[in-house]
Amino acid sequence: MNAPATLPAFDVPPLNPDELPFEFSGSGGAYFKIWIVNLLLSIVTLGLYSPWAKVRRERYFMGNTLLDGSAFDYHADPVKILKGRLLVMAAIVVLNIAAEFNPLFNLVVMVLFAVLLPWMISRALRFRAHNTSWRGLRFAFDGLTWEAAKAWVLWPIAGVLSAGILFPFALANQRRYLFNHLRFGQAAFDIDLPVGPVYRVFGRVALLALVYVAVLVALGFVLGGPLDLFASGAMGQGGGREVFGLYLMLAMLALYVGFALIAPYVSACMANLSFNRANLQNHGFFSDMVAGRYVFIVLTNWLLTALTLGLYRPFAVVRLWRYRVEHLALLPAGTLTAFMAVQAEEARVIGEEAADLLDVDLGF
């Protein structure tokens, strides 16, 4: 029998795809059930259930976040989280009581908090990394307290003293601290993030803020005349003052909302900037969130949460998480099977020598 001239074509997935997108398989309805139970049990137990609530929440989001068909996992022990939170709460209560007896002690409390904050940040990052895994292999974080102090205390103080001019240095140093000390197994993450692109993000933010304020001022002039006529004709002099007060309140609310949306805009831009300049050994990342779309999601989440008296909150969290996850991809330099095999072997050799440093979560 003669073979056919042409063979049927089959779609065979490549061994080394150019891009592996992250996926999220959860839903707002499913998370709502977890959220409402967590909320009720936390209220009934006066907050003592909150560590178990955190673990259930993290396991849901990690378990529904997929890469190459495999989900992430979260392994934290709620009892250890409770120990850390009770420790922090006890310290806060003691310091507040001491401050009542000596008002000058408030200054000591502020200084002590600034000193302890970097240590708490590094501990929290270690705890979270150690308790997160993918395909059975855990993450790790080895950032030092002094480096956290520079990124989260010294540079932000410099930003305040410089009227915001040095804030991009703070953000750039924080991202370097997060990525350059993170490992997956024994494979190290790294990031090449100069401060120039961060300044460009802040430049766009400044320009958008100026445009926004200019639009509000223009609307004020346009609506000022009709408001005055309405007030004087229908409500009298006293009514004019009331209308002016209402207009001033609305203008302040618009300013507050506009400037509150700066944070999510910067967050989206910095996520793109960070992931697109980060690597895991030879593997790269690609993030393509649209900052305007991200801000729109945040704004509508706020509105829907307010209109539903908070019941939309779990749907809002899922909606935002899904957008972040589904606009992120891994750019593999080789097969992940071989990469995982090497990392698993090295992890068995290294062992759990630092486990004693990861016994509590301080709640940050």
Side-chain angles (χ1 to χ4, degrees):
M1 178 178 291
N2 295 328
T6 58
L7 296 175
F10 295 95
D11 293 328
V12 180
L15 296 178
N16 180 24
D18 294 332
E19 180 178 309
L20 289 173
F22 287 77
E23 302 171 286
F24 183 69
S25 59
S27 67
Y31 179 55
F32 179 85
K33 299 175 184 177
I34 296 173
W35 176 81
I36 194 68
V37 172
N38 284 347
L39 178 63
L40 293 175
L41 289 177
S42 296
I43 293 173
V44 170
T45 62
L46 301 179
L48 290 178
Y49 184 77
S50 60
W52 283 264
K54 175 181 178 178
V55 170
R56 290 189 66 198
R57 180 182 68 247
E58 295 293 336
R59 285 179 179 169
Y60 179 78
F61 280 96
M62 291 293 101
N64 285 284
T65 300
L66 310 174
L67 175 63
D68 196 26
S70 298
F72 290 78
D73 202 359
Y74 187 71
H75 309 275
D77 182 355
V79 175
K80 294 180 179 180
I81 297 176
L82 180 62
K83 286 165 55 181
R85 292 187 176 181
L86 290 177
L87 177 64
V88 172
M89 289 176 61
I92 291 174
V93 169
V94 170
L95 292 174
N96 283 334
I97 292 175
E100 289 294 326
F101 289 98
N102 186 355
L104 292 178
F105 199 72
N106 284 320
L107 180 60
V108 177
V109 171
M110 294 176 60
V111 173
L112 185 61
F113 178 77
V115 171
L116 291 179
L117 179 62
W119 177 76
M120 291 187 288
I121 289 173
S122 63
R123 283 293 294 267
L125 292 172
R126 286 188 181 210
F127 186 90
R128 182 173 183 83
H130 176 73
N131 287 290
T132 304
S133 69
W134 183 70
R135 290 185 176 175
L137 193 61
R138 297 203 184 203
F139 291 79
F141 187 83
D142 60 5
L144 300 177
T145 300
W146 167 242
E147 294 170 312
K150 290 190 293 183
W152 266 273
V153 178
L154 298 183
W155 274 115
I157 290 176
V160 172
L161 296 178
S162 64
I165 295 175
L166 295 180
F167 268 129
F169 282 91
L171 280 181
N173 276 274
Q174 289 169 8
R175 295 293 170 143
R176 293 183 198 130
Y177 181 76
L178 291 172
F179 279 89
N180 289 336
H181 297 285
L182 184 63
R183 301 194 312 274
F184 177 59
Q186 291 304 306
F189 287 79
D190 68 89
I191 185 172
D192 177 20
L193 182 59
V195 74
V198 184
Y199 267 105
R200 286 195 285 273
V201 170
F202 272 72
R204 292 198 299 271
V205 168
L207 180 60
L208 289 172
L210 288 174
V211 171
Y212 184 74
V213 171
V215 169
L216 289 181
V217 171
L219 285 175
F221 281 113
V222 171
L223 297 177
L227 282 175
D228 288 341
L229 290 175
F230 173 78
S232 59
M235 304 179 67
Q237 186 67 25
R241 287 193 297 270
E242 292 178 1
V243 171
F244 176 77
L246 177 61
Y247 171 75
L248 183 61
M249 183 182 68
L250 291 176
M252 295 300 295
L253 178 62
L255 277 175
Y256 174 79
V257 171
F259 284 106
L261 291 174
I262 289 177
Y265 181 89
V266 172
S267 176
C269 292
M270 288 301 299
N272 288 342
L273 191 60
S274 300
F275 280 110
N276 293 338
R277 290 175 172 268
N279 296 285
L280 172 59
Q281 275 194 351
N282 296 325
H283 306 292
F285 296 91
F286 177 65
S287 177
D288 64 349
M289 285 193 293
V290 179
R293 173 63 181 171
Y294 188 79
V295 169
F296 174 78
I297 292 174
V298 171
L299 179 60
T300 52
N301 279 349
W302 289 350
L303 293 174
L304 291 172
T305 301
L307 291 174
T308 59
L309 302 179
L311 292 178
Y312 186 76
R313 174 63 181 170
F315 297 90
V317 174
V318 167
R319 185 184 176 202
L320 199 61
W321 180 260
R322 183 190 303 278
Y323 185 79
R324 293 181 70 99
V325 167
E326 295 185 350
H327 284 79
L328 178 65
L330 177 71
L331 308 177
T335 61
L336 292 184
T337 302
F339 172 74
M340 291 297 297
V342 172
Q343 296 309 310
E345 180 63 27
E346 291 183 355
R348 282 194 291 270
V349 173
I350 297 298
E352 296 291 337
E353 71 281 3
D356 60 323
L357 299 176
L358 303 164
D359 57 342
V360 295
D361 175 29
L362 296 172
F364 287 85

